[in-house]
Amino acid sequence: MRATKPFLQARGLDIRTTSGRPLFHQLDLILATDRVAMVGRNGVGKSTLLKVLAGEISPHHGVVRWSQRPWMVAQTLGHSEHIQLATWLRAHPRHSAQLLDEASTLGLVHVARRVVDTCFLPANPRTVARQTLQPAASLGELRKLHLLAAKIANPHMLLLDEPTSDLDADGASWLRGWLKTWPNGLIVISHDRDLLRTFGDFLVVAESGCHHHHGSYAELRAQLAADQREEEVRYLRALQRLEQQEQKHDRICQRRKRKKNVGRLHELRRRTSRARLNDKRSYAQQSQARVAKIRDQRITAARELTRAARRALMVSLPLHVKPPSLPPSNGPVVRLKQITAVVETATEPPAKRVLFSQLNLDLGRERLALIGPNGAGKTTLLDIILDNRKPCQGVAWTAFSKVGTIAQGGRDWLLPHSLLQLLRETADVPDLDSAVEILHAHQFPLALGKRPLHSLSPGERVRAALICLFARRPALDLLVLDEPTYSLDLVGLNALTTALQTWPGGLLVASHDAEFLCDIGVGQELVLGTGNAHNWELRVPTDKIAHTP
């Protein structure tokens, strides 16, 4: 991935985690107008590398140079991203009209107007950022606005971390459309299969190192599968070599022991002097010590090679998730009667906007998908169900002792405890062996099970939280999941899907991933933002209708 006039150069990068774990060693990267997708499992350091390339954090060794500072849209939008947007608008006021014009085509004019208006108040960018941090907009609308600003800014190098997170189907389609024709440098971290299919260059990140792949996404998956098989073969051969060397070592030790005993008998018969015996013993000890040292070094090297080969393998343990046993159903766990939700728009003066009205819902052990465009009120409805927000009208009742929740990215599970600790302390798992078996069944790496949940990536934290909820006693009747596929790699997505397929209780899942919702077998869809009288509709998924006999 080289060009005559590079926009970004990275030389000899060494990057480690805050705990000192190495992520990258002597990484070189040169990019110009290349379009590169960065792929790899959760936790290998993709987001950390992107922050180093953006100049947000410094590498432990090496240097990064740009022809122009990259524009980055992070996975989690916070103060720094809003400051970047506010600073850019103040420095380029002529782009304000273009931002408002294009935002209107995306249905974001109310959000963009608030941002533009507050950016030109007599305040510094940090104050403006605080004022715009919580506009009347959803996370998806905020992400669209930041992506739109990046598109209009047209930087030499654009860095996007999970850009389809929070986006509805129309937003994801809009993003794929303009990224296909992006004229400058582009690095995207994503697990979105539709987005990855638009790329022809990939930076594959793994514990064993990084490498570049040129070709389609389908070819990449085929190549990764072939590499996986080769790694497994190398690992088995390394195990065989290690076993042979250890068997040889045992034979040599036994032979030396026999020779030592026989030698003593010979020396006794010969009546060798004590001085001569001491000389022979000294020579033998020195000689055998050198041979033993060499032999131990060879065995140690073989063991290290075997460990390295094992680390290079993907997690492919057989999945045997044991679902919890539930008592007979005792009626609905969630009841909503004539619920109405209203929010204030970001216009001046503020106006009222009805998200949905007169919504009725009884939910027990059914599987229900909550879908709708960005800003339709999915998060608002979940907040009402979980008593984080009161409805403007109507009555909401939830049996919280029977409900388990996981917010997007596991934000409600930012705990200092490790997964193994939680299983032992809160899920009544009898011993460490049982906890390890649970992790293996869910294909969750043991090394991550020892780390605090707040130190895990969002995708890893969601999986850890789900494992805790599966092990909860008494068993839960309903799981409420907000965008559970957010930031999940392929292994994690497969494990999550399989686990939810075995879940015997109810599911309320807010997601834009139609393929995932189909795979976990949702029976009904609650669609918000339909534009009818009450702005909601309860329906059977189209794939269920298609397969009805």
Side-chain angles (χ1 to χ4, degrees):
M1 294 182 286
R2 294 177 177 271
T4 54
K5 293 182 179 180
F7 294 152
L8 183 149
Q9 297 184 69
R11 298 286 189 183
L13 292 185
D14 283 354
I15 304 174
R16 295 189 290 271
T17 64
T18 53
S19 62
R21 179 170 62 92
L23 295 174
F24 302 94
H25 177 63
Q26 291 296 304
L27 177 65
D28 294 330
L29 190 65
I30 299 178
L31 294 171
T33 57
D34 306 274
R35 298 175 69 256
V36 183
M38 194 186 304
V39 297
R41 77 162 188 85
N42 295 135
V44 294
K46 302 186 299 297
S47 295
T48 303
L49 175 58
L50 208 66
K51 290 178 181 178
V52 170
L53 297 180
E56 293 187 4
I57 59 177
S58 300
H60 290 82
H61 186 269
V63 63
V64 180
R65 294 188 179 92
W66 320 274
S67 61
Q68 179 190 89
R69 188 88 172 195
W71 185 295
M72 179 173 173
V73 180
Q75 182 177 5
T76 303
L77 299 175
H79 283 277
S80 60
E81 286 72 31
H82 288 275
I83 291 170
Q84 179 188 34
L85 179 58
T87 303
W88 172 70
L89 283 173
R90 282 182 165 240
H92 304 88
R94 58 188 177 85
H95 288 319
S96 301
Q98 185 179 358
L99 182 68
L100 291 170
D101 183 51
E102 295 199 30
S104 63
T105 64
L106 298 174
L108 298 175
V109 66
H110 60 289
V111 184
R113 171 60 64 186
R114 177 185 173 103
V115 172
V116 169
D117 289 346
T118 54
C119 278
F120 293 100
L121 292 174
N124 62 57
R126 292 185 179 274
T127 303
V128 171
R130 294 191 194 97
Q131 293 171 339
T132 59
L133 259 176
Q134 297 186 7
S138 68
L139 292 175
E141 290 174 321
L142 283 176
R143 188 169 298 278
K144 284 181 186 176
L145 187 66
H146 280 276
L147 290 170
L148 179 58
K151 173 177 176 283
I152 295 172
N154 195 33
H156 285 175
M157 181 61 61
L158 179 59
L159 310 178
L160 305 179
D161 192 352
E162 295 289 354
T164 57
S165 298
D166 316 307
L167 294 188
D168 54 25
D170 291 339
S173 177
W174 163 78
L175 175 67
R176 292 193 298 270
W178 66 265
L179 285 185
K180 283 182 181 178
T181 59
W182 180 254
N184 300 326
L186 174 66
I187 303 179
V188 175
I189 296 175
S190 182
H191 299 295
D192 187 307
R193 289 159 286 189
D194 291 333
L195 179 60
L196 293 176
R197 291 186 184 104
T198 65
F199 282 82
D201 285 290
F202 299 88
L203 181 63
V204 183
V205 183
E207 288 87 346
S208 55
C210 302
H211 69 273
H212 167 236
H213 174 86
H214 177 73
S216 67
Y217 178 58
E219 292 171 343
L220 170 66
R221 293 192 63 176
Q223 183 62 49
L224 291 177
D227 292 344
Q228 170 71 8
R229 289 191 294 269
E230 291 179 4
E231 290 288 351
E232 290 173 351
V233 170
R234 282 196 290 269
Y235 177 57
L236 292 175
R237 288 175 178 169
L239 282 179
Q240 292 171 352
R241 285 194 298 270
L242 178 59
E243 183 180 7
Q244 291 169 358
Q245 290 184 2
E246 290 187 336
Q247 289 175 352
K248 181 179 178 181
H249 175 71
D250 291 340
R251 288 196 302 270
I252 290 173
C253 290
Q254 292 174 5
R255 187 168 63 247
R256 286 183 58 204
K257 187 176 181 179
R258 289 195 302 268
K259 288 177 66 177
K260 183 178 181 180
N261 292 331
V262 172
R264 285 174 178 170
L265 291 175
H266 286 319
E267 296 298 341
L268 287 173
R269 292 192 191 103
R270 293 170 185 163
R271 300 178 182 273
T272 308
S273 68
R274 184 175 296 277
R276 178 62 175 161
L277 284 176
N278 288 337
D279 289 342
K280 285 186 175 183
R281 185 179 297 115
S282 177
Y283 173 78
Q285 288 176 346
Q286 294 176 9
S287 176
Q288 292 301 326
R290 287 195 298 269
V291 173
K293 183 178 180 181
I294 294 173
R295 187 167 56 247
D296 290 342
Q297 288 175 345
R298 289 174 178 172
I299 292 177
T300 301
R303 285 173 177 159
E304 289 298 325
L305 177 62
T306 304
R307 293 193 190 101
R310 184 65 187 90
R311 286 193 296 268
L313 296 179
M314 292 173 57
V315 177
S316 56
L317 298 172
L319 185 66
H320 301 292
V321 177
K322 184 179 180 181
S325 299
L326 297 180
S329 177
N330 196 22
V333 180
V334 173
R335 277 183 173 169
L336 305 179
K337 291 186 178 181
Q338 300 292 306
I339 296 296
T340 297
V342 178
V343 295
E344 288 189 354
T345 65
T347 58
E348 292 295 340
K352 300 288 186 179
R353 180 167 71 96
V354 177
L355 295 177
F356 47 82
S357 63
Q358 300 182 31
L359 192 153
N360 297 294
L361 178 67
D362 282 356
L363 186 61
R365 294 182 182 174
E366 298 81 15
R367 293 180 175 239
L368 178 67
L370 181 58
I371 61 177
N374 293 135
K378 299 186 295 298
T379 301
T380 300
L381 179 57
L382 292 181
D383 284 342
I384 291 174
I385 291 173
L386 300 177
D387 200 28
N388 297 325
R389 177 180 182 142
K390 298 297 181 182
C392 296
Q393 294 178 6
V395 177
W397 173 84
T398 302
F400 292 104
S401 62
K402 299 180 179 180
V403 177
T405 65
I406 304 178
Q408 183 174 350
R411 290 193 298 268
D412 52 343
W413 287 79
L414 290 167
L415 305 175
H417 308 87
S418 70
L419 176 54
L420 289 173
Q421 287 177 310
L422 289 175
L423 289 176
R424 295 291 305 278
E425 296 172 4
T426 64
D428 197 26
V429 175
D431 50 45
L432 183 60
D433 289 343
S434 300
V436 170
E437 288 179 5
I438 292 174
L439 265 62
H440 282 179
H442 284 267
Q443 291 185 299
F444 197 83
L446 184 59
L448 299 181
K450 300 176 182 178
R451 290 168 49 186
L453 261 64
H454 66 72
S455 69
L456 301 180
S457 70
E460 293 166 345
R461 192 161 48 248
V462 167
R463 292 184 58 200
L466 186 67
I467 293 171
C468 285
L469 295 180
F470 258 67
R472 184 74 60 83
R473 296 295 180 270
L476 302 169
D477 275 36
L478 177 68
L479 298 182
V480 179
L481 311 178
D482 189 3
E483 293 290 348
T485 61
Y486 173 82
S487 185
L488 273 183
D489 57 29
L490 186 60
V491 172
L493 178 60
N494 291 339
L496 175 69
T497 302
T498 306
L500 292 181
Q501 287 171 346
T502 66
W503 172 251
L507 287 175
L508 174 57
V509 183
S511 178
H512 295 295
D513 192 333
E515 185 176 346
F516 168 73
L517 293 174
C518 177
D519 289 341
I520 64 174
V522 296
Q524 284 186 307
E525 293 176 342
L526 178 57
V527 188
L528 302 183
T530 57
N532 56 20
H534 302 301
N535 219 23
W536 64 274
E537 177 187 2
L538 193 63
R539 70 188 187 192
V540 177
T542 54
D543 65 293
K544 297 287 183 182
I545 297 174
H547 291 87
T548 300

